[in-house]
Amino acid sequence: MKQYFLGAAVISLGLMSCTKSEVNVQKVENPDGTVTTTTTEKERTTTLDSVRINATVDDAKEKLDAAAKDAGQTFKQAGEDVKDAAAKGADKVEKGAEKLKEDLEKK
């Protein structure tokens, strides 16, 4: 178990430490004949996009909530069907018991 946590930590640190840098060099010739060089460096990290991850998680939550609601309605209907079937079965058992009682009284 510790190995999994350690592995996950190493991978996440590796993802966070990766950076891409872009260097732009611009040379401008001034009217007096001198050359001015401007160097700009942009660094971009390759970490995971938290906005996309949060949107995906929210979408998954909505889908799970909808599925749970549908399942709840299905289970509720199934429960009512079982209850009706049990009531019908109990009614038949009671009628059978009454019939048996009458038959026993006749003998």
Side-chain angles (χ1 to χ4, degrees):
M1 190 61 106
K2 291 180 184 179
Q3 292 175 348
Y4 292 120
F5 289 122
L6 183 59
V10 169
I11 290 172
S12 63
L13 288 174
L15 286 174
M16 289 181 187
S17 66
C18 295
T19 59
K20 290 183 179 180
S21 62
E22 183 179 316
V23 178
N24 291 332
V25 179
Q26 292 181 337
K27 292 183 180 181
V28 179
E29 189 172 333
N30 295 326
D32 62 355
T34 60
V35 177
T36 304
T37 303
T38 306
T39 304
T40 56
E41 185 174 351
K42 294 181 183 178
E43 288 190 16
R44 287 184 264 153
T45 60
T46 58
T47 58
L48 300 173
D49 186 11
S50 62
V51 174
R52 270 179 47 197
I53 291 172
N54 289 338
T56 304
V57 168
D58 290 341
D59 186 39
K61 283 181 184 178
E62 289 174 7
K63 288 181 181 179
L64 283 173
D65 288 342
K69 187 176 181 181
D70 290 343
Q73 290 174 351
T74 303
F75 289 140
K76 184 177 181 181
Q77 182 62 40
E80 290 174 5
D81 292 346
V82 168
K83 186 177 178 181
D84 291 342
K88 288 179 184 177
D91 189 41
K92 287 182 181 181
V93 168
E94 287 176 2
K95 286 181 183 177
E98 287 176 11
K99 200 172 195 183
L100 181 63
K101 185 178 181 181
E102 290 174 2
D103 288 345
L104 289 175
E105 288 177 357
K106 288 181 184 177
K107 291 185 178 183

